[in-house]
Amino acid sequence: MPQAALVVQNSTIEVREVDDRKPGPGQVLVRNHVIASNPVDVVFASGMFGDKLFPTTFGEDAAGIVEEVGEGVDHVKKGDRVWLVTGAFMQGFEFGTFQTHAMATAFAVQKIPEHVSMEEAA
């Protein structure tokens, strides 16, 4: 079962188990291998914008392997190495990258060129 790091309230972080998810139409489920730390994660986790965001899973950027694609997704397939930008703050919990699997809208998922590592891509 995937696990997610949830910011429960301001800077308090708790690891919780979450149910397996299936991508809907136009979505891609990625097993994260490298998760980037984006400055926006720190800003939101600090509580600067109040607690209306909590609980949530932070993380905007990652690289990993496609686990499953939703209907209508044809530019990536299961097993592809990809980088993604989730837009988690706009879309909700299941889109954060600070977890083992992240969901992303298909347009925000792209294949990683063979000469680029996952660390560089994230």
Side-chain angles (χ1 to χ4, degrees):
M1 183 176 288
Q3 293 188 343
L6 300 179
V7 176
V8 177
Q9 188 167 22
N10 294 341
S11 296
T12 303
I13 297 174
E14 177 182 324
V15 176
R16 295 184 185 173
E17 289 186 353
V18 296
D19 293 332
D20 290 337
R21 297 179 303 271
K22 297 284 186 190
Q27 294 180 328
V28 179
L29 181 65
V30 175
R31 179 167 179 77
N32 292 328
H33 285 246
V34 178
I35 301 168
S37 179
N38 188 311
V40 73
D41 297 319
V42 175
V43 171
F44 280 99
S46 73
M48 179 182 284
F49 296 101
D51 62 1
K52 65 183 177 183
L53 298 173
F54 305 105
T56 194
T57 300
F58 291 113
E60 291 286 313
D61 313 287
I65 304 293
V66 173
E67 288 273 315
E68 194 172 345
V69 298
E71 181 182 333
V73 178
D74 56 12
H75 69 289
V76 295
K77 64 184 182 314
K78 184 174 181 170
D80 283 347
R81 292 179 347 123
V82 296
W83 61 269
L84 58 140
V85 178
T86 64
F89 299 112
M90 306 283 231
Q91 299 186 66
F93 160 75
E94 70 273 15
F95 289 87
T97 58
F98 288 6
Q99 53 190 325
T100 57
H101 292 75
M103 192 76 70
T105 350
F107 70 81
V109 178
Q110 296 298 320
K111 288 182 185 178
I112 300 172
E114 288 193 28
H115 67 280
V116 176
S117 72
M118 284 199 193
E119 290 80 4
E120 292 168 320

